[in-house]
Structures are given as structure tokens and as C-alpha cells.
Amino acid sequence: MNTKTTVISEAQLQTQFGFCDQISAYWVNQGRTPKAYVETYGCQQNEADSEKLRGYLSQSGYTIVQEAEGADVVVMNTCAIREHAEQRVFGNLGALTHTKRRHPEQKIFLCGCMAGETKVSDRIKKSYPHVDGCFSTHHLWQFPEILWNVLSKKKRQFYIEDEPGSIAEGIPQVRDNVLKAWVSIMYGCNNFCTYCIVPYVRGRERSRKKEDILAECRCLIEGGCKEITLLGQNVNSYGKDLPDGVDFSDLLSEIAALPGDFLIRFMTSHPRDAGKKLFDTMASSPKIAKQLHLPFQSGSSRVLKAMNRHYDREKYLDLVNYAKSVMPELVLTSDVIVGFPGETEEEFEETISLIQQVRYDSLFTFIFSPRTGTPAAKMEDPTPKEEKNRRFDRLCAVQNSISEEIHESYVGKKMRCLVDGTDKEYLTARTEGGRLVRFVGDSACIGTYQYITITGSTTWSLTGALDKEA
Ligand code: SAH
Ligand code: SF4
Ligand code: F3S
């Protein structure tokens, strides 16, 4: 397989903009403004990709709408991480036969991580004739061409060839939120954790150039953005494929040095590549949020080895201890998988004890889901489903009581928070660590930093009162 990163050239991108113009002209001829709906599943990387899909659609004359009913284009940007995620997509895709029956001109596309699986594209070809186009993440930059081919040739389009992946700079973006932005700093993954499908559907690790990332961040901050979340499957290996020797910590420092009042967050960190330099950099800058998402997956060193994670329980705990020693206020979150093939009761208890030792602010908990083509899907898995469910429930109960206790300890503290929206009669805000706070206040303060005194807490969120003196 060719592992060299391909950069999509300016000329190739201009060709795509040419297709946008043709699509716009097509709709001018039809005498109306078309509508497009993009539905996003999965992680922030997909959210960021959807902003590009919307960018291309806007440039092609479409108005972005919030529902599939009556839309001229529907794009399902999908996630393949677990079986359940895929079943949901197939269910919703099936339901689109009805929206299309009511609006026969509707064009339906499936893209994202599921579109990179042959078993999915085969099923779309055979059993979902109402889907007009299917393209994997590697072909997102060609969306205008795919859409134009569907409109002009009246033929289904499949852009699903597997590739190591490319980098395309300059695709227009329609962002959901001015205050908070996702910025992808790299794409793909080289880790091949044995349970995970991401490297198969998103290609090899490739880093954007530092200058491109800095320019994007500068532009966001000048436009009023207050929180930038840097995205990558493994941000700690940023730069390994670049010639200039820059690493993730260097990148963080340079972004933090940009003028303006803003916070930087990032995800995801892989414990294999995270280290002291990163934590020291975080500790040294007030613009880098003291928040870390550091997935551990299992508390058992044997299971971690079977997962191909390249660290053990001890190394993980050492990392966390160091991070907490330089950032005592650190908000720590993580991902964990229960019921990996062959996980014993004792190994599961090691996961519980790790959680109790680390005391995460919150956890994303998953039951192992076999993914076709990954090594773990072929491993012997004798543990019954009921037993995995029991372990899962126990894990959630342990974590919930820890989250509740940690949240209780916030009560009485005064915290600087970014006010970011509304929830029914409340305003919502985020602490530097990313915790959600609801409070009563004037919506004019949305978009500003405010001091809020925490007055109450639950397992998942905080309530507070605006500090009038601040
Ligand atoms: N790149 C990130 C994770 C991306 S996927 C990292 O390595 O940390 C998000 C989470 O989904 C993973 O951390 C893992 O906990 C979970 N996950 C991935 N594949 C899974 C599978 N086959 N079954 C259950 N959970 C899975
Ligand atoms: Fe998947 Fe592992 Fe890569 Fe994360 S690091 S995306 S879990 S293969
Ligand atoms: Fe899902 Fe793809 Fe993200 S599989 S979790 S949308 S990288």
C-alpha cells in the first residue's frame, strides 16, 4: 500500500469549485433555491467533516435546513465504531424512502466511516436503491463532483476506493457555532488497536502543516471564537510525518501564543504518545484548558496488550500521576471498553480499581462490539452477553458515584466560565475543565466569560449563580 500522504492541489480544488458553479447554475435554471440537510453521527471528526459538506453545499447554492423532509439533498455522515451505531444509520436510511416518495427529486448520499466498509457499500448497492451516492472519507473533497454527477447523469455514484488518505486545504466550511470551533490538526490513525475500525476507514496518520493550522486558528479568534478544540485520533503523534520536527506540544504553544482571550482544548490523546512535555506545556499556559481526555480502555495490562495499546497499567498510572502533579485542577475524562474478548472477572475488577484510583470526572463507557476485519473480531469471546451487561452496569454505577462526589466538591467555588447558550429557562456555561453549568442570567452575556459561583450539582452537571461583582 502506498503510504505517502497526498496533498490535494489547488487546481484539483478549483475543479471542485467549478462543479459547485455548475450545480448553482442548474438550480438557477430550475428557478428556485434548493435545500440541503446533513445528518452527523459519531465523533467530532465527523462533525468537522459535516461543516465541510455544508460549506460545499452552500457554495453550490443550497440553503442548509434542519430536517430531511422536503430537502433536495440529504447527506448521512456516518460512524462505524460500533454495531449499534451502524444499525441506527440503516434504520434512518430506510426511513428516507418515505421522504423521497413525498419528494421524488430528493438526492440521498451516505458518507463517512461506514462508507469505507465494503460490506456497507455492497449492501447500499443491493438493498438501498433510493441512495444516489456513497463516498468514503477519502473522497469527501470530491463531493461537488459526486453531487453534480448524480444531478446531471441521473446515475448512482460510488466513490469508495480505499486509499491511505490525503489532505485537502481550502474546502469551505459552514460552522455550527461562532464561539466554539473544531480544528482538525491531523487525519487517520496508525495504531491499529485490535478492536478498532478507524484505521481501516480513515487511512494513515497525516498531519496538516503547522502554518495552515495557525492561520485557521488566527482567523477563528479574530472572528470571535473563544474555544478551539484541536482534533485528531491521536493528537500526540502530530508532526511525526512532517519534515520540520514540530510536535504536538510545540503546536499547542504556538497556538496559545496567538493574541486574544480564548481557550484551547484537544482530543484524543493516546497514552502511548502522551508525556511530560505535553503536561508541562499544558501547565505553563493559561490559554490551554486544564482538561485531558486520556482513554485507558482497560485496567488490565494483559487486556491492554491484547488490544495492542502499547502501554500497561503502571505506565498509564504514572502518566496520570504526573499530569495531576503539575495540574492539580486537571479535569480528567476517559474511554473504557468492557467485555473485550477473553476479559476475565479479575481483569474487569482491575478496570474498576483503576477507575477508583484515578477518579475520573466522567467516563465514556462501551461494551465491546466486534467489527468485521479487525483482529479482535476473530478472537475467542466466551463471556455471555448478560455477563458483559452486568459488568457494564457495575462500571457505570461506580463511575456515577465518583462523578457525583467530584461534582459535589465544586459547590461553593467561584469559577470563570464561558457562557455558551441556553437550556430552557437557563443559560449554559462551561468551566475551563469543560463541565456544564446552568444558571439564571441575561442572554446578553452569551459569548462572554463570567464568574459563576457553583450552588448545586448532579452526576452530570452543575448549577450556579452569576457573580455580580465580577
Ligand atoms: N482515537 C481514540 C478513540 C476513538 S474511538 C483513542 O484511541 O483514544 C472512541 C472510543 O470508542 C475508543 O476510545 C473506544 O473506547 C471505543 N471503541 C472503539 N472501537 C470499539 C469497539 N469495537 N467496541 C467498543 N468500543 C469501541
Ligand atoms: Fe482506534 Fe486505537 Fe486509532 Fe484510537 S488509537 S482510533 S482506538 S486504532
Ligand atoms: Fe465513528 Fe469514524 Fe469517528 S468510526 S467515532 S465517526 S472516526
Side-chain angles (χ1 to χ4, degrees):
M1 189 199 263
N2 166 24
T3 54
K4 217 173 121 262
T5 303
T6 316
V7 175
I8 304 305
S9 69
E10 180 59 33
Q12 284 172 299
L13 212 59
Q14 285 304 329
T15 310
Q16 295 304 318
F17 295 156
F19 287 115
C20 293
D21 294 343
Q22 278 178 280
I23 298 165
S24 290
Y26 170 93
W27 285 109
V28 169
N29 261 336
Q30 303 276 315
R32 69 184 177 90
T33 305
K35 292 187 267 184
Y37 172 61
V38 179
E39 187 158 294
T40 314
Y41 299 79
C43 67
Q44 287 80 0
Q45 221 112 65
N46 260 17
E47 296 285 351
D49 284 349
S50 285
E51 293 179 341
K52 292 181 182 161
L53 292 164
R54 292 193 194 99
Y56 267 148
L57 285 161
S58 295
Q59 191 156 330
S60 306
Y62 288 81
T63 299
I64 307 299
V65 294
Q66 300 307 321
E67 57 168 357
E69 191 66 53
D72 299 286
V73 164
V74 176
V75 188
M76 305 271 263
N77 190 8
T78 64
C79 170
I81 204 82
R82 282 173 296 277
E83 188 61 35
H84 177 71
E86 295 202 345
Q87 279 163 0
R88 248 181 80 215
V89 168
F90 278 118
N92 293 350
L93 201 56
L96 288 181
T97 50
H98 305 297
T99 61
K100 190 154 177 164
R101 199 169 301 135
R102 289 189 286 270
H103 185 61
E105 285 305 296
Q106 185 168 73
K107 304 295 179 210
I108 299 172
F109 297 87
L110 182 123
C111 66
C113 294
M114 275 173 72
E117 295 179 276
T118 318
K119 71 165 196 212
V120 171
S121 49
D122 285 348
R123 188 166 161 189
I124 299 287
K125 277 182 191 160
K126 251 175 62 198
S127 314
Y128 291 79
H130 64 296
V131 175
D132 299 282
C134 178
F135 55 99
S136 65
T137 58
H138 300 311
H139 298 281
L140 185 145
W141 70 275
Q142 290 165 295
F143 178 45
E145 170 183 338
I146 299 168
L147 175 54
W148 175 244
N149 284 349
V150 164
L151 288 174
S152 61
K153 297 186 181 154
K154 314 270 185 232
K155 245 181 91 184
R156 305 177 83 193
Q157 299 289 315
F158 286 82
Y159 279 50
I160 48 179
E161 302 80 58
D162 190 23
E163 284 179 14
S166 56
I167 292 188
E169 293 293 345
I171 297 179
Q173 280 156 285
V174 171
R175 295 187 190 266
D176 266 354
N177 195 326
V178 244
L179 280 183
K180 301 183 186 185
W182 312 115
V183 173
S184 296
I185 60 165
M186 58 194 298
Y187 306 98
C189 182
N190 287 351
N191 284 313
F192 289 95
C193 302
T194 53
Y195 51 80
C196 184
I197 198 159
V198 171
Y200 302 90
V201 293
R202 286 209 170 250
R204 297 290 63 72
E205 238 167 55
R206 49 210 190 270
S207 307
R208 289 177 68 195
K209 278 194 276 176
K210 187 183 75 180
E211 294 69 30
D212 292 331
I213 299 169
L214 283 170
E216 183 172 349
C217 292
R218 197 174 294 118
C219 178
L220 284 165
I221 296 159
E222 283 167 2
C225 180
K226 299 282 182 201
E227 271 190 23
I228 292 177
T229 304
L230 307 176
L231 296 179
Q233 291 302 341
N234 176 13
V235 289
N236 307 111
S237 63
Y238 172 80
K240 283 186 181 166
D241 56 331
L242 293 176
D244 49 7
V246 63
D247 69 10
F248 181 58
S249 303
D250 304 332
L251 177 72
L252 270 180
S253 304
E254 291 206 33
I255 300 173
L258 293 173
D261 189 11
F262 63 93
L263 263 187
I264 310 165
R265 305 184 193 278
F266 55 88
M267 65 190 307
T268 295
S269 282
H270 192 303
R272 168 193 188 169
D273 302 300
K276 290 188 173 175
K277 183 174 176 191
L278 171 67
F279 303 141
D280 291 342
T281 306
M282 289 174 75
S284 71
S285 170
K287 288 192 194 170
I288 306 174
K290 305 299 172 274
Q291 175 197 14
L292 185 64
H293 185 64
L294 193 66
F296 72 102
Q297 313 297 3
S298 167
S300 150
S301 294
R302 192 209 58 86
V303 174
L304 287 170
K305 195 157 197 306
M307 288 176 163
N308 193 32
R309 290 290 288 181
H310 294 277
Y311 56 86
D312 59 14
R313 180 188 174 98
E314 283 61 45
K315 172 167 179 212
Y316 185 87
L317 288 172
D318 284 350
L319 273 181
V320 165
N321 288 339
Y322 184 80
K324 284 185 173 179
S325 74
V326 291
M327 294 175 282
E329 71 280 41
L330 183 69
V331 167
L332 194 61
T333 57
S334 195
D335 295 346
V336 54
I337 298 176
V338 169
F340 185 78
E343 179 194 67
T344 64
E345 182 63 22
E346 292 70 38
E347 288 164 346
F348 168 67
E349 284 302 327
E350 288 187 79
T351 292
I352 296 285
S353 79
L354 188 135
I355 292 171
Q356 287 166 331
Q357 211 169 324
V358 174
R359 292 181 62 80
Y360 294 99
D361 291 73
S362 66
L363 268 186
F364 295 89
T365 49
F366 307 105
I367 294 182
F368 170 73
S369 169
R371 310 310 296 132
T372 311
T374 62
K378 295 190 209 88
M379 292 178 188
E380 217 170 305
D381 191 5
T383 312
K385 196 168 165 274
E386 298 69 41
E387 172 57 21
K388 291 190 181 190
N389 288 340
R390 188 200 61 78
R391 289 182 193 171
F392 183 78
D393 291 346
R394 169 149 153 69
L395 180 93
C396 293
V398 170
Q399 178 56 42
N400 286 349
S401 74
I402 295 172
S403 296
E404 204 175 314
E405 283 166 25
I406 294 180
H407 274 171
E408 256 169 38
S409 71
Y410 279 86
V411 175
K413 285 187 184 158
K414 184 158 92 173
M415 317 200 72
R416 186 173 186 258
C417 302
L418 175 67
V419 185
D420 61 356
T422 55
D423 179 13
K424 300 191 190 102
E425 69 271 33
Y426 296 103
L427 293 184
T428 57
R430 293 274 167 182
T431 66
E432 181 182 327
R435 306 284 85 198
L436 171 67
V437 189
R438 288 191 187 80
F439 68 103
V440 177
D442 185 343
S443 59
C445 65
I446 293 174
T448 63
Y449 285 102
Q450 296 290 336
Y451 282 91
I452 296 175
T453 300
I454 306 303
T455 52
S457 71
T458 68
T459 312
W460 293 280
S461 66
L462 305 166
T463 46
L466 198 62
D467 212 82
K468 299 279 187 253
E469 277 105 70

